[in-house]
Amino acid sequence: MGETITFWVLAVVSVGAALGMVFNRKAVYSALMLGTVMLCLAVLYAVQDAPFLAAVQIIVYTGAIMMLFLFVLMLVGVDSSDSFVETLKGQRFWASIAALGFVTLIVLAVGNAVFADPAGLAQATAQGGYIRSIALLLFTKYVFAFEITSALLITAALGAMVLAHREQLTEKATQKDLSRARFLGDRPSPLPGPGTYARNNAIDMPALLPDGSVAETSVNRYIARYDVEHGHLPEDPKLAAAIKHRADDEGSESGDAESNADESNGVTK
């Protein structure tokens, strides 16, 4: 009774997660749905007295292969817009052939499961237990499919690296170049840290230089803009003026960045 209830509950969850994986628009959600299906399969293996398959399902598929999928998504980019331009000629034709072959395999598998005589657990593990029976199937009858799957996973990882690679128009600056540019600039030293006071969290408070003047660059410009917009300014007029000036610098910098972006877009167009 408990096995039947577990099967029907997990069957509904697995089918729902599989449909969510196929029809979801976000790749990350599809990967999470696939992980749900794999976990449900692991529980079903455990219910069918196959603890080795359940452990392999969790460790290998849910752990390793799902991590590979997530790494591929992170490398390629989740927010990148999909291109509808076919870069490979005839890919729709070959994709249709592959889909037809996949549907044929599903029909044959379902027909074999429905119309064939059940072998039973004792017959399946009669060659020396769970591990030995699975090893014999993997390295004898299904060795070709096993190697093809390994090649596909390696190809997916290499394809993700190729897609994520971006050609640089200029030579990448080395550590020596960055250090030289820093010391030739206006500020060779790091930015001063924010001021600290005992009675409040002062990450938005400007620091004081040794001569008593206010270091405006010690406050993050985004925090300064937030304080100005919401009226969170200190009572000290000198500190308040420094925060306002830092917020004004942030606005001018963002305006310059937008104008530069518009100019670059105009050039590219």
Side-chain angles (χ1 to χ4, degrees), residues 28-229:
V28 175
Y29 294 161
S30 297
L32 294 177
M33 292 295 102
L34 180 60
T36 303
V37 175
M38 291 182 177
L39 290 176
C40 292
L41 287 177
V43 177
L44 289 175
Y45 287 145
V47 171
Q48 295 296 322
D49 295 331
F52 178 75
L53 283 179
V56 169
Q57 181 70 30
I58 294 177
I59 296 173
V60 177
Y61 288 94
T62 310
I65 296 181
M66 277 302 302
M67 290 300 104
L68 176 62
F69 288 163
L70 292 177
F71 286 150
V72 168
L73 293 177
M74 288 187 291
L75 287 173
V76 174
V78 178
D79 297 330
S80 60
S81 59
D82 297 331
S83 177
F84 295 97
V85 179
E86 293 188 10
T87 57
L88 300 177
K89 295 182 179 180
Q91 62 179 353
R92 293 189 179 183
F93 172 76
W94 292 110
S96 301
I97 296 297
L100 182 61
F102 183 69
V103 171
T104 304
L105 290 177
I106 292 179
V107 171
L108 292 176
V110 173
N112 187 25
V114 173
F115 298 105
D117 296 331
L121 184 62
Q123 182 179 352
T125 59
Q127 298 179 349
Y130 301 104
I131 300 176
R132 181 176 176 81
S133 301
I134 295 173
L136 289 175
L137 289 177
L138 285 179
F139 296 105
T140 55
K141 184 177 180 180
Y142 299 105
V143 61
F144 182 73
F146 186 71
E147 294 298 331
I148 289 298
T149 305
S150 302
L152 287 177
L153 292 175
I154 296 175
T155 305
L158 294 177
M161 295 175 62
V162 172
L163 291 175
H165 176 72
R166 296 181 179 179
E167 296 183 359
Q168 293 184 353
L169 300 178
T170 58
E171 186 178 356
K172 184 177 180 180
T174 62
Q175 186 68 28
K176 181 179 180 181
D177 297 332
L178 295 176
S179 299
R180 180 177 298 174
R182 175 179 173 181
F183 282 96
L184 291 177
D186 298 333
R187 180 183 292 276
S189 62
L191 294 176
T196 54
Y197 297 91
R199 298 182 60 184
N200 64 323
N201 182 7
I203 192 172
D204 58 342
M205 293 292 177
L208 299 180
L209 297 177
D211 58 354
S213 60
V214 179
E216 297 178 358
T217 54
S218 63
V219 179
N220 187 286
R221 56 179 182 269
Y222 301 105
I223 297 179
R225 185 180 63 179
Y226 179 85
D227 289 344
V228 172
E229 291 177 353

